[in-house]
């Protein structure tokens, strides 16, 4: 192959603007408007690439996105892992390195690509800005549609009409349901993903020229004829001096004319058929025509590029009997044209084989909002069908250049019994390449059809799937990356104070909750011990704002809650609070919380932090789908209220010091009072998750930060200590209080938890009632909640530890009795505490069992889950 | 990315919705009167046709209303949506 | 009382973003016929009223009544009276959402980086429209005014919305 820049011509290049670039370490110069491929050819770089599997020398085959050989990594002025050189727009200081089929992830030396995304709605989306795409856009704009035209290349051949928006350097990655199209726009170092919703999508993606398989068809110097034509016309580059044209259709003949006019010597125009008018025209103009012939071999020079071809009569052809060998440095091949249909196929567009054109064209099926125009719809030249040449060594006739797979490989697959082209694809890897079979799919299908004795078109080409081109994950992630934007970080109104006071946070779903508040250089263990002791001995304050809160209002509110909870809520007195358990229809514990009766027809229900949305969703589901006659309205107020929970024997003193008009002396457990705390309107609830005297102060969230600060300040002299979720977990575990989702996992019933008392059998039906009496739900040997006391008081069992019989040999299978669900060091008790689910646990009280810790048996005793203050004497302070 | 027509809010991306399984499976009148097998049938067994069927959706990120839809599970195509108090529309697949 | 965002106004370059804190907001649920009687909007995702008192459609039996700070108590009493004898619910949700008001010609483009609604006039979005939807991963309620867009958002999601808008505007 001998390539060079022509003295003039090239509609896309600007010869006044040279561009310096580096390829494989060599510093070269091209023009603005060049692609990397055209600039390489202009500099006489005709090889420079290698095949991925066998390392065979390769050169540029095409001028477009069907390129299977010339892949590069771009490392300057931005990084692109792997991209075909034919699609790289030449810019100043471009640095490109050849890559054989596989890219690499850049190191830290490269600035990461930035990414963003945007949604866009249009009435008409046109994919492809060629002539037929522009016509479709024009027509849609005339109808008053919002029209968007997208074009892979960095420029348009011609302007689009007014009122039509365009995006260049933008590839449609995939077309999805109902006109959803994902576009990938590259803008320097910025990737932009467009999520388009179009009422109508027009596929104007053109067609890809098809190669022909013959021995030695993979050498540098074998190029698609249309591509050779494009390099002359668009880039002013002559890809070869001595050219053999091998074509089944008039595109090859046009290429011959253009190359000749640019100064190349056409050594042969090889036409496997008798040739039509184009052939006659060329013959009349003096071109050397070889009708009824094929190229049967190429011959390489010492650098591995094409130096000659052998032409022979086609099998059964009417040409002269002898083979001819000619010198040539470029073989321009055209085996026909494949409409570019991959995007449409993936959304259900069907194909039919067109005999006259020897290709697959859209058959009219597919979504009604998808339209195909132009070459993509089948407006391509007629062509005889020639997928591979009969003569020559099948092992050298390449069908899939990116996988070094040949006609022999396809024959081998069929010989091993594979019939479907999709199976041939998987066993040979043909079509699993970056270009997903743009040059290999149809020939592979047709060679398979022929080997099986089936006619052309019996099977279509292998499927291609989105994305149409490789796309970095960072582009798809867009803005949704990093600690702040990957998922919303939700904080309470008191968050700034927690941060200022050095809190260490834990993630509870999307929320950041203070985990513990270290002082000085305390470690977590020391901090949690201090916080727990403070709550048991003086007072602690917890930010409980994240609890879910729902107002349930209406004459049937009580009836409704009776159906959603296991216990009765309809007889709750106004001003009172009741703990409730919610089951799934399968009777497994789903969530818990308290309900407060604000008025005859008004309740406020709390849920776990993680359960807030789920509980409201479930309330609405039952009301809307099953009980539309119940007069109940639910409203979420989770963030309407901030909650400051003060717990400990001195909790009353703390609230008094903070200032309140509520009578704290005659305030019964499980009731609430409305009034003022620290100057803010408040609802104070006497509930306790710690077992100590405890007040939950609910204030409108606008006052949350103020009340928190006021309580902290007022409580300081009393020894008030802020505590976090870790201490909260320890304190409740000491009292045997379960946490739904920690001590339950969707397979645990109320009875399993020892909470049979909360199930009211005398009221009517409620969610989960029927499943309570299933055989499996009422088995005696179910896993039941117990406490576990380790013989070694200092040993804290890891959560999840398996529980087995004492002394059992640890050879599989070892019968499992259960597992540890919660486990902590208890400062109040001076020893470890653990809750566990153990088979028939309540019947094993005081039994000696074992826990498996790091492969060793550790002695444990089954105890009551309530380890601290079992009489509940501390509750009232 | 389906486009789902909420009967109130109109067409929205499927990410605004939550799928609710087979439609027209009502809570039994008398759960206590069902055998364990019959109750398990209600709890766990649902149709799974390839083709047109009726299913439930809820517009979680929008108006939070439940509604029904007719969809072809083979082609993934949403054929119709209808309110809970409307009859299932007669539609060609 | 403290607003949600540390600085009332957020720097978003060509787009203005200001928190409008402490608005009176009542979540009102009642029968559609009663709502109609009160002049609440019956058409989904529309707004009735004005800046002194606006009523946003949230669902076939749910509306958000928005008014000036401090007016929630009187409005609640007024609505209870007007709905007396009917099954209804009026819940103060003033602190349950804060409001970020966006101005500037490019505000819809900024929202489009995280919101899949058609926010162009050609798509039917205009003053007097509202919509509950998602911005990125945050549930939001959008209300279109004459020259601004209000984003009603839970306080816990407000910082995320601002961060995401900021990141989007920077690109």
């Amino acid at each position: 192959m001998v390539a060079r820049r022509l003295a003039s011509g090239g509609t896309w290049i600007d010869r006044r603007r040279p561009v310096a670039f580096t390829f494989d370490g060599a510093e070269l110069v091209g023009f603005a408007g060049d692609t990397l491929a055209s600039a390489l050819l202009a500099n006489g770089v005709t090889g420079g690439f290698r095949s991925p599997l066998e390392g065979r020398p390769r050169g540029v085959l095409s001028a477009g996105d069907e390129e299977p050989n010339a892949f590069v990594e771009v490392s300057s002025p931005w990084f692109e892992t792997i991209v075909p050189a034919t699609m790289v727009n030449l810019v100043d200081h471009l640095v490109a390195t050849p890559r054989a089929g596989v890219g690499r992830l850049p190191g830290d030396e490269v600035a990461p690509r930035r990414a963003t995304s945007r949604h866009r709605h249009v009435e008409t989306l046109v994919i492809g800005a060629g002539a037929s795409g522009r016509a479709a856009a024009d027509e849609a704009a005339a109808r008053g549609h919002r029209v968007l035209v997208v074009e892979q290349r960095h420029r348009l051949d011609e302007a689009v009409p007014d009122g039509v928006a365009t995006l260049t350097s933008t590839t449609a990655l995939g077309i999805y349901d109902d006109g959803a199209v994902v576009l990938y726009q590259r803008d320097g170092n910025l990737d932009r993903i467009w999520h388009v919703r179009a009422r109508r999508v027009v596929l104007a993606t053109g067609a890809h020229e098809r190669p022909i398989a013959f021995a030695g068809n993979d050498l540098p110097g074998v190029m698609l004829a249309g591509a050779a034509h494009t390099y002359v016309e668009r880039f002013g580059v002559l890809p070869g001096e001595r050219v053999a044209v091998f074509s089944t259709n008039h595109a090859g003949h046009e290429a011959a004319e253009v190359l000749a006019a640019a100064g190349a010597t056409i050594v042969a125009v090889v036409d496997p058929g008798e040739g039509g008018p184009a052939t006659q025209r060329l013959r009349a103009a003096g071109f050397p025509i070889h009708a009824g012939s094929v190229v049967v071999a190429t011959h390489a020079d010492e650098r591995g590029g094409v130096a000659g071809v052998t032409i022979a009569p086609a099998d059964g052809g009417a040409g002269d009997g002898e083979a001819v060998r000619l010198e040539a440095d470029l073989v321009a091949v055209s085996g026909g044209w494949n409409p570019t249909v991959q995007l449409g196929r993936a959304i259900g567009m069907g194909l039919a084989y067109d005999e006259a054109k020897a290709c697959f064209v859209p058959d009219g099926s597919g979504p009604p909002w998808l339209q195909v125009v132009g070459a993509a719809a089948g407006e391509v030249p007629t062509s005889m069908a020639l997928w591979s040449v009969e003569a020559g060594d099948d092992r050298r006739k390449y069908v899939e250049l990116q996988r070094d797979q040949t006609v022999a490989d396809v024959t081998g697959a069929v010989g091993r019994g594979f019939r479907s082209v999709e199976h041939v694809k998987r066993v040979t890897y043909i079509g699993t390449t970056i270009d997903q079979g743009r040059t290999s799919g149809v020939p592979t299908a047709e060679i398979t059809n022929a080997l099986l004795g089936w006619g052309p078109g019996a099977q279509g080409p292998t499927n291609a799937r989105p994305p149409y081109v490789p796309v970095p994950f960072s582009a798809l992630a867009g803005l949704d990356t990093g600690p702040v934007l990957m998922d919303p970080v939700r904080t309470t109104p008191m968050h700034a104070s927690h941060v200022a006071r050095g809190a260490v946070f834990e993630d509870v779903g999307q929320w950041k909750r203070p985990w513990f508040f270290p002082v000085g250089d305390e470690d977590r263990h020391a901090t949690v011990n201090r916080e727990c002791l403070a709550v048991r001995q003086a007072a602690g304050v917890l930010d409980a704002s994240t609890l879910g809160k729902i107002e349930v209002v209406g004459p049937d509110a009580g009836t409704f809650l009776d159906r959603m909870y296991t216990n009765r809520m309809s007889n709750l007195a106004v001003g009172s609070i009741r703990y409730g358990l919610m089951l799934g229809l399968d009777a497994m514990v789903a969530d818990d919380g308290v309900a407060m009766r604000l008025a005859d027809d008004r309740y406020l229900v709390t849920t776990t932090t993680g359960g807030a949305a789920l509980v409201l969703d479930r309330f609405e589901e039952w009301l809307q789908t099953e009980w539309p006659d119940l007069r109940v309205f639910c409203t979420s107020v989770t963030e309407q209220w901030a909650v400051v929970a003060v717990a400990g024997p001195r909790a009353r003193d703390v609230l008094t010091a903070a200032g309140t008009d509520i009578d704290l002396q005659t305030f019964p457990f499980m009731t609430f009072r409305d009034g003022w705390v620290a100057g803010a309107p408040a609802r104070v609830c006497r509930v306790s998750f710690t077992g100590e005297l405890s007040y939950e102060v609910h204030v409108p969230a606008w006052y949350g930060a103020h009340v928190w600060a006021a309580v902290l300040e007022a409580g300081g002299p009393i020894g008030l200590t802020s505590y976090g979720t870790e201490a909260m977990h320890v304190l409740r575990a000491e009292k045997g209080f379960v946490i739904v989702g920690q001590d339950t996992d969707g397979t645990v019933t109320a009875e399993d938890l020892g909470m049979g008392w909360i199930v009211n059998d005398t009221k009517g039906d409620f969610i989960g009632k029927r499943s309570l009496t299933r055989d499996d739900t009422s088995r005696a040997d179910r896993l039941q909640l117990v406490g576990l006391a380790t013989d070694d008081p200092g040993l804290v069992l890891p959560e999840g530890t398996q529980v087995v019989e004492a002394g059992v040999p640890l050879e599989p299978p070892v019968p499992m009795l259960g597992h540890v669900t919660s486990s902590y060091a208890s400062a109040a008790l001076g020893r470890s505490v653990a809750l566990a689910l153990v088979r028939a646990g309540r019947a094993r009280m005081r039994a000696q069992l074992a826990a498996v810790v790091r492969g060793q048996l550790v002695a444990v005793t089954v105890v009551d889950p309530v380890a601290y203050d079992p009489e509940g004497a501390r509750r009232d302070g | 990315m389906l486009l789902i027509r909420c009967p109130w809010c109109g067409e929205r991306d499927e990410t605004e919705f939550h799928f609710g399984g087979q439609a027209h499976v009502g809570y039994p009148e008398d759960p206590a009167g069902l055998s364990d097998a019959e109750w398990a049938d209600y709890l766990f067994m649902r149709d799974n046709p390839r083709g047109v069927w009726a299913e439930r959706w809820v517009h979680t990120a929008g108006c939070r209303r439940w509604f029904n839809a007719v969809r072809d599970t083979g082609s993934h195509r949403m054929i119709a949506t209808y309110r809970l108090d409307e009859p299932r529309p007669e539609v060609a697949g | 009382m403290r607003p949600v965002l540390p600085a009332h106004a957020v720097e978003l370059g060509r787009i203005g973003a200001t928190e409008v804190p402490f608005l009176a907001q009542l979540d009102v649920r009642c029968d559609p016929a009663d709502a109609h009687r009160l002049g609440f909007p019956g058409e989904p995702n529309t707004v009735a009223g004005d800046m002194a008192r606006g009523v946003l459609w949230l669902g076939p039996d749910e509306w958000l009544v928005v008014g000036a700070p401090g007016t929630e108590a009187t409005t609640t009493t007024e609505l209870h009276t007007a709905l007396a004898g009917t099954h209804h619910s009026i819940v103060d949700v003033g602190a349950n959402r804060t409001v970020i008001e966006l101005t500037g010609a490019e505000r819809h483009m900024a929202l489009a980086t995280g919101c899949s609604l058609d926010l162009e006039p050609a798509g039917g979005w205009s003053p007097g429209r509202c919509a509950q939807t998602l911005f990125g991963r945050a549930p939001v309620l959008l209300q279109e005014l004459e020259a601004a867009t209000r984003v009603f958002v839970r306080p816990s999601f407000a910082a995320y919305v601002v961060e995401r808008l900021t990141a989007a505007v920077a690109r």
Side-chain angles (χ1 to χ4, degrees):
Chain A
M1 194 175 184
V2 179
R4 61 180 172 86
R5 180 84 71 186
L6 296 165
S8 64
T11 55
W12 277 27
I13 58 169
D14 183 351
R15 293 174 185 264
R16 298 161 304 174
R17 290 170 49 203
V19 173
F21 68 100
T22 306
F23 174 73
D24 205 9
E27 290 175 7
L28 303 167
V29 180
F31 291 123
D34 264 325
T35 61
L36 176 60
S38 66
L40 287 175
L41 292 171
N43 280 274
V45 178
T46 54
F49 299 94
R50 294 244 162 225
S51 72
L53 293 190
E54 294 175 11
R56 296 176 60 79
R58 291 279 164 79
V60 172
L61 181 86
S62 75
D65 71 0
E66 68 271 49
E67 179 58 38
N69 288 334
F71 285 96
V72 296
E73 166 193 293
V74 173
S75 51
S76 173
W78 51 76
F79 189 89
E80 278 199 71
T81 302
I82 189 160
V83 61
T86 50
M87 301 301 286
V88 174
N89 180 30
L90 198 72
V91 294
D92 277 310
H93 311 302
L94 185 84
V95 175
T97 314
R99 284 251 162 263
V102 175
R104 70 173 177 107
L105 292 176
D108 293 330
E109 79 282 3
V110 171
R113 294 184 71 80
R114 292 151 66 235
T116 185
S117 66
R118 205 184 296 175
H119 293 264
R120 190 162 183 164
H121 292 253
V122 293
E123 280 67 54
T124 298
L125 173 72
V126 179
I127 303 176
S132 52
R134 292 196 306 271
D138 196 13
E139 188 246 351
R143 286 198 256 158
H145 285 195
R146 288 176 291 182
V147 186
L148 176 64
V149 175
V150 297
E151 168 54 50
Q152 280 191 87
R153 301 254 179 209
H154 65 278
R155 51 166 286 165
L156 309 178
D157 269 336
E158 275 184 43
V160 295
D162 271 345
V164 172
T166 58
L167 289 174
T168 52
S169 300
T170 302
T171 308
L173 294 181
I175 302 177
Y176 303 92
D177 311 288
D178 301 316
V181 182
V182 178
L183 306 176
Y184 174 36
Q185 176 187 23
R186 264 173 292 201
D187 186 1
N189 197 35
L190 176 66
D191 291 328
R192 189 178 282 116
I193 297 288
W194 293 86
H195 298 278
V196 176
R197 184 71 78 173
R199 293 263 165 236
R200 198 167 66 103
V201 178
V202 178
L203 216 52
T205 42
H208 287 129
E209 197 170 22
R210 193 167 56 224
I212 303 168
F214 51 88
N217 68 326
D218 75 315
L219 300 188
V222 178
M223 181 180 279
L224 291 168
H229 182 156
T230 297
Y231 281 116
V232 172
E233 208 169 74
R234 210 180 258 180
F235 302 105
V237 170
L238 191 65
E241 294 285 3
R242 298 182 59 80
V243 185
V245 175
F246 179 21
S247 170
T248 61
N249 64 90
H250 72 71
H253 305 95
E254 283 170 15
E257 287 176 308
V258 167
L259 288 162
T265 302
I266 309 300
V267 304
V269 177
V270 182
D271 190 331
E274 285 318 301
T279 314
Q280 309 314 326
R281 190 177 72 245
L282 289 186
R283 184 180 274 123
F287 284 79
I289 306 296
H290 297 246
S293 299
V294 292
V295 170
V296 295
T298 59
H299 310 284
D301 61 17
E302 65 280 357
R303 287 177 311 147
V306 170
V309 292
T310 297
I311 300 162
D315 190 60
D320 287 339
E322 289 182 16
V324 170
R325 177 165 169 157
L326 299 172
E327 272 182 30
D329 52 63
L330 177 69
V331 184
V333 180
S334 185
W337 295 82
N338 297 326
T340 306
V341 294
Q342 289 87 340
L343 286 170
R345 263 189 109 189
I347 196 63
M349 185 178 82
L351 300 178
Y353 184 73
D354 184 317
E355 269 206 49
K357 297 171 181 178
C359 70
F360 293 89
V361 302
D363 67 358
S365 67
W369 44 264
L370 180 66
Q371 194 191 345
V372 196
V373 298
E379 288 168 24
V380 296
T382 56
S383 168
M384 64 174 284
L386 181 65
W387 326 107
S388 69
V389 164
E390 184 79 23
D393 186 349
D394 279 355
R395 292 169 303 178
R396 297 189 54 232
K397 300 171 190 169
Y398 284 84
V399 168
E400 171 61 83
L401 289 159
Q402 261 192 79
R403 294 278 183 253
D404 288 324
Q405 294 293 292
T406 64
V407 172
D409 294 303
V410 178
T411 309
V414 174
R416 296 207 293 291
F418 296 102
R419 267 145 182 63
S420 163
V421 66
E422 290 293 341
H423 290 153
V424 173
K425 168 181 177 179
R426 278 146 183 86
V427 78
T428 61
Y429 296 115
I430 293 171
T432 64
T433 51
I434 294 172
D435 62 281
Q436 293 198 67
R438 275 163 221 159
T439 52
S440 61
V442 170
T444 302
E446 291 304 342
I447 293 168
T448 303
N449 288 339
L451 287 167
L452 292 168
W454 300 346
Q459 292 187 81
T462 54
N463 266 318
R465 292 190 182 81
Y468 184 74
V469 293
V471 55
F473 280 109
S474 60
L476 297 173
L479 295 165
D480 299 320
T481 63
V484 176
L485 292 180
M486 191 186 80
D487 204 25
V489 173
R490 299 175 69 183
T491 57
T492 69
M494 293 82 115
H495 189 75
S497 166
H498 301 328
V499 171
R501 295 177 63 247
V504 174
F505 294 89
E506 77 158 339
D507 294 334
V508 182
Q510 293 171 320
W511 293 93
K512 291 285 183 200
R513 295 194 69 182
W515 193 20
F516 54 96
F517 292 84
V519 167
D521 54 7
E522 280 178 334
D523 66 4
R524 183 176 95 220
H525 185 74
T527 304
V528 174
N529 278 355
R530 177 176 53 76
E531 291 178 5
C532 289
L533 284 174
V535 173
R536 295 267 181 241
Q537 293 170 358
V541 61
L542 173 82
D543 177 357
S545 304
T546 60
L547 284 182
K549 308 167 200 75
I550 301 168
E551 283 226 10
V552 181
V553 178
D556 298 324
T559 304
F560 170 63
L561 292 176
D562 282 353
R563 295 184 192 179
M564 301 307 295
Y565 286 94
T566 62
N567 45 340
R568 197 188 287 276
M569 294 300 187
S570 55
N571 63 356
L572 183 62
V574 173
S576 286
I577 304 173
R578 182 168 294 162
Y579 173 75
L581 204 62
M582 264 189 285
L583 309 181
L585 281 171
D586 58 0
M588 302 303 151
V589 172
D591 205 73
D592 68 351
V594 297
M596 307 175 217
R597 193 161 196 172
L598 307 177
D600 276 343
D601 62 349
R602 199 159 158 233
Y603 293 76
L604 191 139
V605 160
T606 70
T607 77
T608 61
T609 297
L614 294 172
V615 170
L616 178 61
D617 286 352
R618 148 196 271 244
F619 280 4
E620 285 288 346
E621 180 182 352
W622 282 93
L623 285 171
Q624 290 181 38
T625 66
E626 287 295 340
W627 308 320
D629 296 331
L630 282 187
R631 292 160 302 165
V632 183
F633 286 126
C634 298
T635 307
S636 167
V637 287
T638 294
E639 300 198 37
Q640 172 67 19
W641 300 95
V643 180
V644 177
V646 182
R650 301 211 55 194
R652 198 178 287 125
D653 296 338
V654 170
L655 275 192
T656 305
T660 178
D661 66 344
I662 292 170
D663 178 2
L664 299 175
Q665 298 301 325
T666 62
F667 194 157
F669 185 58
M670 298 302 271
T671 66
F672 66 90
R673 303 256 172 91
D674 290 347
W676 295 82
V677 172
R683 171 172 298 138
V684 180
C685 310
R686 253 205 81 190
V687 291
S688 181
F689 199 40
T690 60
E692 301 296 322
L693 173 67
S694 168
Y695 301 91
E696 272 185 17
V697 180
H698 296 231
V699 295
W702 295 328
Y703 301 97
H706 160 77
V707 172
W708 175 265
V711 167
L712 270 178
E713 193 184 323
I718 301 170
L720 179 71
T721 302
S722 57
Y723 68 101
T725 52
E726 187 66 17
M728 177 192 80
H729 276 230
V730 178
L731 293 165
R732 63 90 199 176
E734 291 168 344
K735 293 293 297 176
F737 296 148
V738 299
I739 287 185
V740 174
Q742 166 131 0
D743 304 295
T744 71
D745 60 8
T747 70
V748 180
T749 68
E751 184 66 37
D752 295 339
L753 293 176
M755 291 175 70
W757 54 267
I758 206 172
V759 178
N760 184 324
D761 285 318
T762 66
K763 65 173 181 174
D765 195 22
F766 57 88
I767 308 287
K769 181 174 186 177
R770 175 61 186 83
S771 290
L772 287 172
T773 52
R774 289 177 64 224
D775 283 346
D776 188 67
T777 321
S778 38
R779 272 186 299 117
D781 66 339
R782 290 181 61 85
L783 295 179
Q784 294 174 340
L785 188 78
V786 295
L788 287 183
T790 46
D791 278 16
D792 171 4
L795 173 65
V796 178
L797 298 169
E799 284 168 2
T801 295
Q802 295 295 302
V803 178
V804 297
E805 295 284 4
V808 69
L810 287 180
E811 284 134 28
V814 180
M816 297 287 135
L817 296 183
H819 61 277
V820 173
T821 59
S822 296
S823 179
Y824 312 95
S826 164
L829 296 167
R831 53 157 303 119
S832 66
V833 289
L835 298 174
L837 288 167
V838 172
R839 199 165 295 293
R842 288 198 290 278
R844 295 176 188 264
M845 240 357 104
R846 313 246 52 90
Q848 301 280 316
L849 297 179
V852 185
V853 181
R854 285 182 283 279
Q856 308 289 331
L857 290 181
V858 162
V860 297
T861 307
V862 178
V863 296
D864 192 277
V866 185
Y868 180 80
D869 181 32
E871 303 79 30
R874 301 185 62 82
R875 191 195 73 189
D876 296 326
Chain B
M1 172 64 80
L2 287 176
L3 194 61
I4 300 179
R5 188 193 72 93
C6 167
W8 291 272
C9 302
E11 290 174 336
R12 299 286 184 93
D13 278 1
E14 72 177 87
T15 46
E16 290 198 7
F17 300 86
H18 199 74
F19 176 66
Q22 185 174 6
H24 307 301
V25 180
Y27 188 69
E29 286 273 334
D30 176 29
L34 298 180
S35 67
D36 272 3
E38 289 167 331
W39 177 248
D41 197 77
Y42 160 69
L43 263 194
F44 302 119
M45 304 307 287
R46 294 291 182 273
D47 293 339
N48 186 24
R50 179 185 178 145
V52 177
W53 88 323
E55 59 190 21
R56 308 186 311 158
W57 288 85
V58 58
H59 192 185
T60 311
C63 62
R64 302 183 305 118
R65 296 305 105 189
W66 283 84
F67 58 94
N68 292 329
V70 179
R71 183 171 62 93
D72 184 333
T73 63
S75 68
H76 208 37
R77 188 170 67 97
M78 273 288 190
I79 297 169
T81 56
Y82 55 109
R83 300 183 190 199
L84 297 180
D85 57 0
E86 291 173 332
R88 173 174 167 171
E90 294 292 320
V91 283
Chain C
M1 286 169 60
R2 303 201 192 164
V4 174
L5 296 174
H8 268 237
V10 178
E11 269 311 304
L12 282 189
R14 300 181 299 281
I15 297 167
T18 314
E19 182 181 4
V20 185
F22 314 134
L23 288 176
Q25 298 178 59
L26 302 172
D27 192 298
V28 179
R29 301 196 65 175
C30 64
D31 186 271
D34 294 317
H36 179 72
R37 184 167 50 80
L38 295 180
F40 287 6
E43 197 189 314
N45 298 311
T46 58
V47 184
D50 53 29
M51 293 304 281
R53 183 189 296 182
V55 184
L56 285 68
W57 186 102
L58 296 184
D61 59 9
E62 185 173 20
W63 290 265
L64 188 70
V65 178
V66 181
T71 62
E72 49 271 343
T74 49
T75 305
T76 300
T77 306
E78 210 184 291
L79 290 173
H80 269 312
T81 306
L83 291 167
T86 73
H87 164 45
H88 66 277
S89 163
I90 302 173
V91 179
D92 183 351
V93 290
N96 203 49
R97 289 190 185 94
T98 190
V99 177
I100 302 169
E101 198 167 285
L102 302 177
T103 53
E106 293 178 14
R107 64 187 187 277
H108 298 119
M109 212 170 8
L111 284 171
T113 62
C115 179
S116 66
L117 290 196
D118 193 350
L119 295 173
E120 294 183 17
W125 185 252
S126 55
R129 296 291 314 273
C130 65
Q132 294 175 95
T133 183
L134 294 169
F135 177 73
R137 290 184 166 82
V140 295
L141 165 63
L142 301 179
Q143 180 191 4
E144 188 67 11
L145 306 176
E146 278 305 322
T149 308
R150 281 191 165 175
V151 181
F152 291 73
V153 61
R154 302 275 189 104
S156 68
F157 285 105
Y160 164 84
V161 167
V162 170
E163 283 287 343
R164 205 170 185 292
L165 277 171
T166 305
V169 165
R171 293 171 201 195

